[in-house]
Amino acid sequence: MMDSPVLRFCLLVAMLAAFLQGCTAPEPASGITSLAQAYQGRLRLGAAVEPGQLSTSEGRLLAAQFNSVVAENVMKPSRIQPSENEFNFAPADAIVDFAQQHDMAVRGHTLLWYKRTPDWFWSGKDGQPASRDLVLSRLRQHIETVVGRYKGKIYTWDVVNEVIDPAQSDCLRHDQWLQVVGPDYIDWAFRYAHAADPNARLIINDYSTTLPAKRLCLQRVVQGLLARGVPVHGVGHQMHISIFEPAVAEVDETLVVFARLGLENQITEMDMSLYQRHTYLLPDSVDRLLPVQGQRYEALMKVFLSHPELTAVTWWGISDAHTSRNAGWDWWRSDAPLLFDSQQHPKPAYWGALKAVQGLSPAAK
Ligand code: XIL
């Protein structure tokens, strides 16, 4: 029987499957300190996730190392309401359920983003362009339904995403929202969200907030919102950065600007590329770049900890196995922007982030 060619073939297949599983589904390193626990009482630490990752070893790493979670894609308008009044809640529910099972907070991303507004928003009866009133009533319906469903489960929402454009004199992105509704679409989005969940922290989220022109524009727009009594509670800094830029001091200056306005700061989509902007080759060997990344993560986390109004840091991914830096047009890259490597082991980036908080005296935490 042992010599049966069928049995030998089956054994070979089983060994191959076990080997492949070992390659594709590494176990997260055990026995390392939970970063979220080390930061407990000071900052919420989170990561973006797709529902398919939850049941994998990345899901286990997420639950072990972080205490907050955000949907990388499945809560965006075109995903959660692909057709008018047809909501696709199951993928988003899976993430919220996972968070509840593991006692984690949930960030909501996002209620309005020009890149993920479904086309049906813009067409009215008989294929005519939708009127301002129709678009606003759809926005209200969308926000009421989505925020209402997760009321009490999602503690903070990126209400509007990437609405600032420093190249425009009014500082606003000249997209369909502005063209069809006018600049007050932002006010309405915040008002609808606040009505749907008065306890949720409402955030205006954007990228490159450390660039002086962008920062100034964001400040102008936020001051306008505050002056009109719009319920905006904080600024979300995406923080898709690199090991080269921005300078740590520029990050600090940006946070100070919004802290002075009495607002909360959140870091919402952090990752740190090893590439210099607009270049296609890694500038050095990965072995030499990773410690640089670790030191920079340490310095940045120290700045974040020095800001009492900064409440949360969320990474745009769990480990380098799944990062938007190596996706889409950049599929061919071998970037490594997160805290854990593609085998889900802690990188110098993780040790840097841990060192930043361990250096604090208990009283300062
Ligand atoms: C990205 C996701 O990571 C990708 O999977 C998707 O294809 C496009 O969106 N700023 C944002 C995020 O606010 O929603 C984006 O996420 C990354 C840039």
Side-chain angles (χ1 to χ4, degrees):
M1 179 65 182
M2 263 317 275
D3 274 347
S4 143
V6 175
L7 188 67
R8 263 187 281 159
F9 176 75
C10 290
L11 266 174
L12 196 69
V13 170
M15 280 164 67
L16 194 66
F19 172 73
L20 283 178
Q21 207 191 8
C23 291
T24 54
E27 270 309 304
S30 54
I32 54 165
T33 309
S34 157
L35 203 59
Q37 234 160 50
Y39 275 78
Q40 198 121 44
R42 185 55 198 87
L43 287 177
R44 265 186 181 130
L45 301 189
V49 67
E50 295 276 28
Q53 292 173 280
L54 296 173
S55 58
T56 69
S57 53
E58 279 202 292
R60 290 192 284 284
L61 184 63
L62 176 67
Q65 288 293 329
F66 299 90
N67 56 9
S68 174
V69 67
V70 64
E72 184 178 351
N73 285 300
V74 298
M75 289 191 192
K76 291 171 183 171
S78 59
R79 295 289 287 273
I80 209 162
Q81 195 182 177
S83 316
E84 190 163 18
N85 290 322
E86 279 178 26
F87 288 86
N88 181 22
F89 283 126
D93 285 355
I95 292 176
V96 173
D97 291 349
F98 178 93
Q100 295 214 305
Q101 279 158 24
H102 294 95
D103 205 15
M104 301 167 89
V106 188
R107 301 197 75 256
H109 177 82
T110 172
L111 298 171
L112 189 158
W113 186 25
Y114 74 105
K115 279 195 181 165
R116 292 291 183 274
T117 303
D119 286 343
W120 60 260
F121 253 91
W122 308 115
S123 59
K125 279 209 177 97
D126 313 321
Q128 295 296 308
S131 66
R132 165 188 152 92
D133 284 353
L134 181 56
V135 171
L136 275 180
S137 76
R138 285 171 169 165
L139 180 65
R140 178 183 202 143
Q141 170 82 7
H142 180 80
I143 291 179
E144 268 176 7
T145 310
V146 176
V147 175
R149 181 179 184 89
Y150 299 113
K151 186 173 175 179
K153 296 182 177 172
I154 291 189
Y155 82 99
T156 187
W157 275 101
D158 293 333
V159 176
V160 295
N161 194 33
E162 304 182 352
V163 298
I164 304 297
D165 182 358
Q168 306 295 342
S169 58
D170 61 1
C171 284
L172 295 177
R173 183 181 293 283
H174 285 202
D175 58 7
Q176 258 168 308
W177 283 103
L178 193 76
Q179 281 153 20
V180 177
V181 180
D184 61 340
Y185 79 87
I186 301 176
D187 301 30
W188 287 113
F190 277 95
R191 291 189 196 285
Y192 297 151
H194 189 58
D197 184 356
N199 292 322
R201 307 291 295 163
L202 303 182
I203 303 294
I204 178 169
N205 195 47
D206 221 311
Y207 60 90
S208 298
T209 57
T210 54
L211 295 180
K214 182 90 178 242
R215 175 168 74 202
L216 204 60
C217 265
L218 181 56
Q219 184 186 350
R220 255 180 69 186
V221 170
V222 167
Q223 280 177 312
L225 294 174
L226 292 172
R228 293 191 295 278
V230 174
V232 55
H233 306 125
V235 172
H237 309 268
Q238 292 186 0
M239 213 56 71
H240 294 293
I241 60 173
S242 79
I243 57 171
F244 298 97
E245 56 179 357
V248 174
E250 286 173 313
V251 175
D252 189 30
E253 281 161 27
T254 297
L255 297 174
V256 166
V257 166
F258 298 101
R260 287 206 178 127
L261 294 181
L263 290 168
E264 181 175 331
N265 279 308
Q266 294 192 13
I267 307 301
T268 54
E269 305 182 14
M270 183 137 178
D271 53 16
M272 192 192 292
S273 175
L274 301 179
Y275 289 81
Q276 198 147 17
R277 198 184 282 260
H278 306 310
T279 61
Y280 301 100
L281 291 176
L282 280 175
D284 202 343
S285 74
V286 172
D287 285 353
R288 275 200 288 267
L289 294 172
L290 291 182
V292 176
Q293 186 186 50
Q295 282 159 15
R296 211 161 125 73
Y297 263 122
E298 181 184 347
L300 280 168
M301 294 307 286
K302 279 185 179 154
V303 167
F304 298 157
L305 283 164
S306 75
H307 277 266
E309 84 295 342
L310 197 149
T311 55
V313 179
T314 301
W315 276 267
W316 207 240
I318 304 159
S319 82
D320 292 338
H322 176 100
T323 156
S324 64
R325 296 291 194 142
N326 295 331
W329 291 107
D330 292 328
W331 60 269
W332 51 273
R333 284 198 191 225
S334 42
D335 213 342
L338 300 169
L339 302 180
F340 298 90
D341 70 18
S342 54
Q343 299 295 303
Q344 290 144 45
H345 293 127
K347 295 162 57 185
Y350 163 90
W351 299 112
L354 188 62
K355 219 165 133 196
V357 76
Q358 285 179 337
L360 286 183
S361 67
K365 267 198 207 176

